[in-house]
Amino acid sequence: MRHLVTSLLTMAVLLLSSVFTDKGFITQGLAADRPVVRVGVLKFGTVSWELDTIKTRKLDEAEDIDLQVVDLASNQATQVALQGGGVDMIVTDWLWVSRQRTEGADYTFAPYSTAAGSIMVPAGSDIRSLGDLKGRKIGIAGGPLDKSWLMLRALTMQKHGFDPDKDSAKTFGAPPLLNEQVRNGGVDAVLNYWNFAARLKAAGLRELATVEEIARELGISTDVPIIGYVFSEAWAAGNAKAVEGFLRASKVAKEVMGRDDGEWQRLRPLTRAEDDATLTALRDGYRAGIPTAWGAAEREDAARVYDILTKLGGHELVGASPHLADGTFWAGSSF
């Protein structure tokens, strides 16, 4: 019954999100002579920028594959599509992968980005350190189990002697709404995803701390990829050429976006940057998140992050596994 429901939900999601063009539905097209890789993404999410670079520069064709981008409405919709077989890959975090593996799935993770988010305050705020957040109004993107929020709580409890979950006035909300609230004084500080924090930085707000800096203070010494391309091991085993080709194309796209400012001018409509300062902040934020290493040290630090999050998020966050599940990270991922 569970598989039937998942399949029906997937069909509904794909029908609602497919775009009809003069060549048909993009979710249904098949390359005549190249393996197809269907990647499910949020239409205006940051991942779509990289995939657009791959398609525009024909990096997928150079790898003899056909990338098909499936636009979906939400992160949950991408997960449903992957679980139901409507797409081959999505971008999500390795916490979700580990939990799925604990429950019997075979999903695995290849790095996409180390970018997480930042705590932003108005330029003139008297909040100068994380310790100053005690008793303040804090806006948090996501929910109570958001990874960045749990990391912030862990650090303030360890280094500053208070838990903002109990000792500050917190409000959870959608990233754009939180940006408006911190700009108009509705909250004193906001913990938001990196691309929304970049918009605030472009608008003149001040960065109090990045999630990466918080991780460093918690003893995480490497840049751990937070989100990555996630796919089934069984699918990868039967489509090794497609997986390797796609990940190589992704790496080349990152290299292009990392050095070519002109590429960002081309991508400007997709970023929806309101002005040059915002486009620059988004470009720099993306570049800062490009992974440069993915070896034993990074994987060990990921396990440490998992343990930190488990202490606060518990079963509701990680499910039945107290430690990162074996196989969470794809054995073929390398830099």
Side-chain angles (χ1 to χ4, degrees), residues 76-327:
Q76 183 179 11
T78 65
Q79 293 168 1
V80 169
L82 179 65
Q83 291 169 317
V87 297
D88 304 310
M89 288 187 184
I90 63 172
V91 171
T92 190
D93 60 68
W94 39 260
L95 279 169
W96 184 83
V97 175
S98 178
R99 180 164 188 161
Q100 290 295 312
R101 292 187 72 88
T102 301
E103 296 174 358
D106 73 338
Y107 300 125
T108 191
F109 172 104
Y112 165 74
S113 178
T114 64
S118 298
I119 303 169
M120 304 294 297
V121 298
S125 172
D126 61 352
I127 298 174
R128 295 292 170 180
S129 73
L130 296 181
D132 295 332
L133 292 174
K134 185 175 182 179
R136 301 303 186 99
K137 296 178 181 178
I138 308 173
I140 304 105
L145 296 177
D146 177 77
K147 298 176 294 299
S148 299
W149 170 240
L150 295 178
M151 296 281 281
L152 172 62
R153 289 182 58 198
L155 183 59
T156 54
M157 286 189 286
Q158 182 182 115
K159 295 288 183 70
H160 300 284
F162 75 98
D163 183 354
D165 189 55
K166 300 175 182 176
D167 301 317
S168 300
K170 61 185 184 297
T171 179
F172 301 101
L177 176 61
L178 293 176
N179 273 13
E180 287 302 312
Q181 287 187 332
V182 75
R183 294 178 70 171
N184 65 27
V187 295
D188 300 312
V190 64
L191 173 58
N192 217 334
Y193 305 133
W194 75 264
N195 49 320
F196 289 94
R199 292 178 181 277
L200 290 177
K201 189 181 295 186
L205 278 77
R206 175 164 50 86
E207 187 174 74
L208 184 68
T210 66
V211 175
E212 292 85 352
E213 290 168 344
I214 291 172
R216 288 284 190 273
E217 289 204 50
L218 286 169
I220 306 303
S221 60
T222 65
D223 293 324
V224 177
I226 303 299
I227 57 175
Y229 289 107
V230 173
F231 45 89
S232 159
E233 283 184 319
W235 175 79
N239 296 273
K241 176 183 175 181
V243 174
E244 294 288 355
F246 172 78
L247 293 178
R248 282 194 299 268
S250 169
K251 184 177 181 179
V252 174
K254 285 183 173 68
E255 291 170 354
V256 170
M257 296 169 72
R259 68 170 186 266
D260 187 349
D261 292 349
E263 183 68 6
W264 287 92
Q265 292 298 329
R266 189 191 67 77
L267 288 168
R268 185 171 190 148
L270 266 185
T271 69
R272 296 188 290 180
E274 301 86 352
D275 49 48
D276 290 343
T278 301
L279 181 64
T280 298
L282 291 170
R283 180 200 69 195
D284 292 349
Y286 173 90
R287 287 174 173 175
I290 296 175
T292 58
W294 182 233
E298 287 77 20
R299 296 177 194 227
E300 289 170 5
D301 270 350
R304 294 188 186 99
V305 171
Y306 186 93
D307 291 341
I308 292 169
L309 296 175
T310 299
K311 289 178 181 177
L312 290 174
H315 185 276
E316 190 175 357
L317 177 67
V318 301
S321 179
H323 302 293
L324 198 63
D326 291 340

